[in-house]
Amino acid sequence: FVFRRRSFDSNGQHISENLFHLGLAFALSKKWSLGLSGYSLSTNLERGSDYSQRNADASLFWAANKKWSFGFIMKGLFGSKKVAFKETQFTPSSGFGLQYKLLEAVRLRGDMTYQYEGNSRHRLTYNGGAEILMRDDFVLRTGLKVDDYKGESYFTAGLGWAGPRLKIAYAYQ
């Protein structure tokens, strides 16, 4: 479960949004897992307009061996809502990622995403990162995102706690 509230300025107006996201994962076998998630985003503009969108994602994960894992995701399964504020509009995309376990406590990750709508130049978004597991339950993360689609690049950092049935994480970009 994720709840995110953020505020920002764009095109001379103040925007605030609330995101609710719920995800579930199912083990299909020892090597295959399926993930499903749904989310709702409400966007409020300073000038009185409100927009809301709801959508869902599906993912498939394959643990090839003890070191390598691969994943595929389809985002925005219900398409995009054209009336949504363009700056925060969810649009359909797909992505492919991989993970390599370098040491028992170090994981390296990378992925790329393709945006379907409004991407006439066929640009991709690339993510890369590393995470270090400390004491079997705390995780420290860092990464880099290069978004050719939006023309943005930035570093990310985060930390988390991973219990037996619950995970809590904080990330900053």
Side-chain angles (χ1 to χ4, degrees), residues 98-129:
L98 57 91
Q99 172 179 282
Y100 179 72
K101 193 182 279 188
L102 182 63
L103 302 168
E104 194 58 36
V106 178
R107 294 183 195 139
L108 304 175
R109 295 181 176 177
D111 63 67
M112 61 184 171
T113 305
Y114 179 78
Q115 194 90 18
Y116 289 107
E117 295 179 4
N119 193 1
S120 61
R121 299 181 75 189
H122 306 291
R123 297 191 176 213
L124 297 170
T125 299
Y126 305 93
N127 297 296

Side-chain angles (χ1 to χ4, degrees), residues 21-28 31-39 56-62 70-77 93-97:
H21 191 155
L22 178 63
L24 300 170
F26 307 94
L28 303 174
K31 292 191 175 255
W32 291 92
S33 297
L34 174 70
L36 300 171
S37 64
Y39 43 90
D57 304 335
S59 59
L60 189 62
F61 179 80
W62 176 49
F70 302 90
F72 179 74
I73 188 167
M74 294 290 296
K75 292 182 150 194
L77 295 174
S93 63
S94 61
F96 174 78

Side-chain angles (χ1 to χ4, degrees), residues 141-157:
R141 297 180 178 99
T142 186
L144 172 67
K145 180 174 186 170
V146 178
D147 190 337
D148 283 343
Y149 176 72
K150 292 181 179 177
E152 301 174 343
S153 296
Y154 43 86
F155 287 99
T156 61

Side-chain angles (χ1 to χ4, degrees), residues 72-93:
F72 179 74
I73 188 167
M74 294 290 296
K75 292 182 150 194
L77 295 174
F78 304 133
S80 62
K81 186 175 179 181
K82 300 295 183 197
V83 299
F85 181 60
K86 187 168 177 62
E87 295 289 326
T88 60
Q89 179 178 342
F90 290 127
T91 56
S93 63

